[in-house]
Amino acid sequence: SSQKLRFISIIILIIIISLTFTHHKLHPKLTETTSQTEVFNESLELFAWLSENVDGRKTRVFDQSTYVNIRDGSIAKQNLILALGPKYTGIQFLTSWVTSIYPTEIYLKAENKNLFNKTVDKLSEDEIVFYMEKFNAKYIITSEKILKGKVSSSAKFKKRYETTHFSIFELLGYEPSWTESDNKIRYKTDFKTDKITIKINNQYEDNNSTIKIAQHPYWKANILELNKEIKLKKNQYGLMSLSLPKGDYTLSLEFWAKLRYYEKIEIIIA
């Protein structure tokens, strides 16, 4: 009788497994890998164009992700391949979807036809220009027709490249800059993984300035020649805000996450 009970249990288990796979089988489109999607090759071509034509040392690119922006029923609407842009091009891409980018998510969220804290249909031409300059993006990639229509009809933009799903527009008349000040400064920037070095020539005392990098409490700013720390604040756009003293010097911005981590460990041990 125990064997009979075991046999019945096995049959029931097989039926349950069979029903589970029958009712929960994924649609073939949802099991595609990136290389199988229709946007893969055109994305690689787009990355190649950006690599050849955009200097990532000077500017960023804003990309309107296809995620929930394309509604043509294709897998492209759920594809996040543009997230690979920085790896393929060495250029900083500006966008956000699903998760937040601290602390600038409110302006960079680009899913569901949102952009710069508004729905795309309510954005004016001047607002698009303002935020691109504010975040130092001379180029914008569009993936849906409303945003594409706004920039293509504007005299301030020029279309530089186009594929089936994407168009790249250049913001005309904007000279890329990583800084913005009440009074003009001269500077030269060197980017590394967790450190930014800026050679500054500033002729004004207490020159209120913005560095177009997302501020985080772990960033520390120092004038190397004076071994003097400069206080960093977060402005309304989530970017670094600081007051620059007069003079020629090297401003070092360093991300101290490791030290903070070690401090927490020491406190726990103590």
Side-chain angles (χ1 to χ4, degrees):
S1 87
S2 62
Q3 289 182 344
K4 184 177 180 180
L5 183 59
R6 186 180 302 143
F7 176 76
I8 293 173
S9 299
I10 292 173
I11 294 298
I12 292 173
L13 182 60
I14 292 173
I15 292 172
I16 292 173
I17 293 173
S18 177
L19 289 173
T20 300
F21 277 92
T22 300
H23 291 283
H24 296 277
K25 185 179 180 181
L26 291 175
H27 188 280
K29 281 285 185 182
L30 297 179
T31 60
E32 288 183 345
T33 61
T34 299
S35 60
Q36 292 174 302
T37 64
E38 63 265 39
V39 295
F40 180 69
N41 288 330
E42 67 174 291
S43 297
L44 294 183
E45 292 169 3
L46 179 142
F47 294 154
W49 186 91
L50 289 170
S51 297
E52 294 174 4
N53 295 277
V54 177
D55 188 348
R57 297 169 300 177
K58 295 181 178 180
T59 189
R60 297 186 176 104
V61 172
F62 189 90
D63 72 274
Q64 186 188 36
S65 170
T66 59
Y67 188 72
V68 202
N69 279 319
I70 292 180
R71 301 187 183 276
D72 60 4
S74 71
I75 195 67
K77 71 178 182 180
Q78 297 179 359
N79 193 285
L80 301 177
I81 192 170
L82 290 185
L84 296 174
K87 175 178 175 59
Y88 277 84
T89 66
I91 300 167
Q92 297 180 40
F93 276 42
L94 288 172
T95 192
S96 171
W97 59 88
V98 183
T99 57
S100 300
I101 299 178
Y102 175 87
T104 57
E105 188 267 349
I106 189 173
Y107 297 103
L108 302 183
K109 185 177 181 180
E111 62 183 287
N112 286 320
K113 294 185 172 62
N114 285 289
L115 188 64
F116 305 136
N117 201 27
K118 284 188 176 182
T119 54
V120 173
D121 60 315
K122 294 180 180 179
L123 268 178
S124 70
E125 171 191 300
D126 289 340
E127 285 175 317
I128 297 172
V129 171
F130 174 84
Y131 284 110
M132 287 183 66
E133 292 182 351
K134 187 63 64 178
F135 289 97
N136 193 28
K138 187 171 176 62
Y139 297 86
I140 186 167
I141 304 171
T142 66
S143 67
E144 54 81 42
K145 63 182 180 180
I146 299 177
L147 181 60
K148 180 181 178 181
K150 285 179 179 285
V151 293
S152 62
S153 63
S154 170
K156 297 180 181 180
F157 291 89
K158 184 172 182 177
K159 184 165 64 178
R160 295 297 190 185
Y161 185 80
E162 188 168 38
T163 67
T164 302
H165 290 94
F166 307 114
S167 298
I168 300 176
F169 292 86
E170 178 185 359
L171 176 58
L172 301 175
Y174 172 60
E175 186 64 33
S177 175
W178 293 109
T179 68
E180 188 176 82
S181 302
D182 287 350
N183 299 288
K184 189 174 181 180
I185 64 172
R186 297 173 63 185
Y187 72 96
K188 184 177 180 181
T189 308
D190 179 32
F191 286 95
K192 294 183 179 178
T193 303
D194 57 356
K195 189 174 183 179
I196 305 168
T197 303
I198 307 176
K199 297 283 188 180
I200 289 178
N201 174 267
N202 173 35
Q203 301 302 314
Y204 305 90
E205 290 287 357
D206 300 323
N207 195 354
N208 293 320
S209 305
T210 296
I211 298 175
K212 300 175 184 180
I213 305 290
Q215 166 61 355
H216 187 281
Y218 289 175
W219 280 109
K220 298 297 178 184
N222 287 279
I223 295 177
L224 295 183
E225 290 83 353
L226 303 176
N227 192 27
K228 177 182 178 181
E229 183 173 345
I230 301 294
K231 186 175 181 180
L232 290 174
K233 297 180 181 180
K234 180 178 67 175
N235 70 11
Q236 67 186 94
Y237 307 107
L239 304 175
M240 293 180 182
S241 175
L242 69 165
S243 179
L244 292 175
K246 183 178 180 180
D248 295 333
Y249 48 85
T250 303
L251 181 68
S252 173
L253 298 164
E254 199 160 357
F255 197 77
W256 288 92
K258 292 182 180 179
L259 290 181
R260 295 285 179 173
Y261 178 70
Y262 294 147
E263 287 173 5
K264 290 179 181 178
I265 291 178
E266 289 172 358
I267 292 171
I268 292 172
I269 293 174

